[in-house]
Amino acid sequence: MAGPVVRVAALADLHCTKTSQGAFQSLFARVSEAADILVVAGDLTDYGLPEEAAVLARELTALRIPAAAVLGNHDLESGKAGEVRQILEGAGLTVLDGDACELQGIGVAGVKGFGGGFGRHALGPWGETIIKQFVHEAVDEALKLEAAFARLRTKPIVALLHYSPIQQTVEGEPLEIYPFLGSSRLEEPIGRYPVSFVVHGHAHRGQLEGKTKNGVPVYNVSMPLLTRTYPDRQPFRVFEVPLTGAATCDPAAPASTGRRATDAVAAS
Ligand SMILES: [Fe+2]
Ligand SMILES: [Fe+2]
């Protein structure tokens, strides 16, 4: 008999502005009907302004389910990420930055991530100091993600990022900007924990789905991408994650634990 299932809604790149009053309330109301928890993969605000976060906080009064978020690069633009975070947490969002939380039995590990590119073309820590600093930022974010996984005793786990850990879900963007959309370094810890799936945003013109080299599904839940792909639907996705059996490990495919997340893209 099938065990309990948690419906995980995911979206990213709201880019809330100072004039966005009323723009997200019906979205959050629909999310609350369609899912048990919500994860938001960064760029909640457009310029990282506390005033924008305050507008979003008012919109979030329509959300009636537990929610976690990571900040995106836009949320850091004005150097006021601390204030933005405080306002969003005041509105009930759990904002993750290298840490983890449990929502309705699902472990959520969150980190913003960083760029640097993918695979054998990824930027290496060599030459100028500033290049090494750039690479170390991505390495640090990957270490933070690993630390967040290690803190979770609950399974299954959802990995929540802003930047992509794989190239597949940024394809469709101009090739020249791939290195600024994500980093393979973020992919490394994902294969070492029972991660059901990864969600990210940031690549507004990327692809909806991909897989890590260990077969973990990766979903780009950027709202502009979802709106363009499904113009007749609300711009969020819902994944059904079974709770039972998630703690067991299949020796033939150790990274596949609890990964039977069924995508149930929210209709309209
Ligand atoms: Fe964005
Ligand atoms: Fe972004």
Side-chain angles (χ1 to χ4, degrees):
M1 201 168 89
V5 162
V6 176
R7 299 168 300 163
V8 182
L11 55 83
D13 298 296
L14 291 102
H15 291 269
C16 183
T17 70
K18 288 188 264 187
T19 58
S20 292
Q21 290 92 343
F24 300 112
Q25 287 196 9
S26 66
L27 171 68
F28 289 135
R30 296 301 295 270
V31 166
S32 305
E33 288 163 10
D36 302 305
I37 67 171
L38 168 67
V39 293
V40 185
D43 283 357
L44 293 94
T45 63
D46 207 23
Y47 281 86
L49 295 169
E51 297 90 327
E52 295 173 336
V55 170
L56 185 57
R58 281 194 292 278
E59 300 297 293
L60 280 165
T61 56
L63 186 70
R64 298 184 304 278
I65 56 174
V70 292
L71 299 184
N73 57 318
H74 278 249
D75 302 312
L76 272 63
E77 164 61 17
S78 298
K80 294 183 175 174
E83 271 181 79
V84 167
R85 177 179 182 153
Q86 210 172 13
I87 292 165
L88 295 174
E89 288 189 328
L93 274 187
T94 301
V95 180
L96 302 172
D97 178 18
D99 41 14
C101 66
E102 184 191 330
L103 303 177
Q104 310 283 40
I106 302 289
V108 182
V111 72
K112 176 178 61 64
F114 198 58
F118 304 99
R120 64 192 184 92
H121 299 298
L123 187 63
W126 200 91
E128 295 90 335
T129 302
I130 200 162
I131 294 290
K132 291 173 181 166
Q133 287 169 342
F134 189 97
V135 174
H136 285 152
E137 180 70 13
V139 171
D140 284 348
E141 290 291 293
L143 289 171
K144 281 162 66 177
L145 181 59
E146 174 129 35
F149 287 147
R151 272 184 216 120
L152 281 168
R153 293 288 169 264
T154 52
K155 296 168 185 170
I157 295 172
V158 172
L160 176 61
L161 308 171
H162 182 58
Y163 287 80
S164 177
I166 61 167
Q167 180 174 312
Q168 238 178 323
T169 48
V170 309
E171 286 172 359
E173 294 276 4
L175 185 62
E176 293 83 355
I177 68 167
Y178 282 14
F180 312 119
L181 297 174
S183 166
S184 293
R185 294 175 199 280
L186 298 164
E187 184 181 12
E188 290 161 19
I190 292 165
R192 293 197 283 273
Y193 290 85
V195 176
S196 291
F197 61 91
V198 182
V199 294
H200 72 84
H202 192 47
H204 293 200
R205 287 158 294 185
Q207 297 293 317
L208 290 173
E209 298 179 14
K211 274 190 196 315
T212 67
K213 54 182 182 278
N214 290 311
V216 180
V218 177
Y219 300 107
N220 180 349
V221 292
S222 181
M223 281 176 52
L225 174 63
L226 290 172
T227 300
R228 207 166 41 252
T229 311
Y230 305 112
D232 55 338
R233 298 179 183 182
Q234 291 278 344
F236 65 92
R237 296 185 81 175
V238 178
F239 306 96
E240 294 184 349
V241 183
L243 287 179
T244 52
T248 57
C249 215
D250 175 0
S256 71
T257 307
R259 202 175 304 134
R260 259 167 284 147
T262 331
D263 180 16
V265 179
S268 66

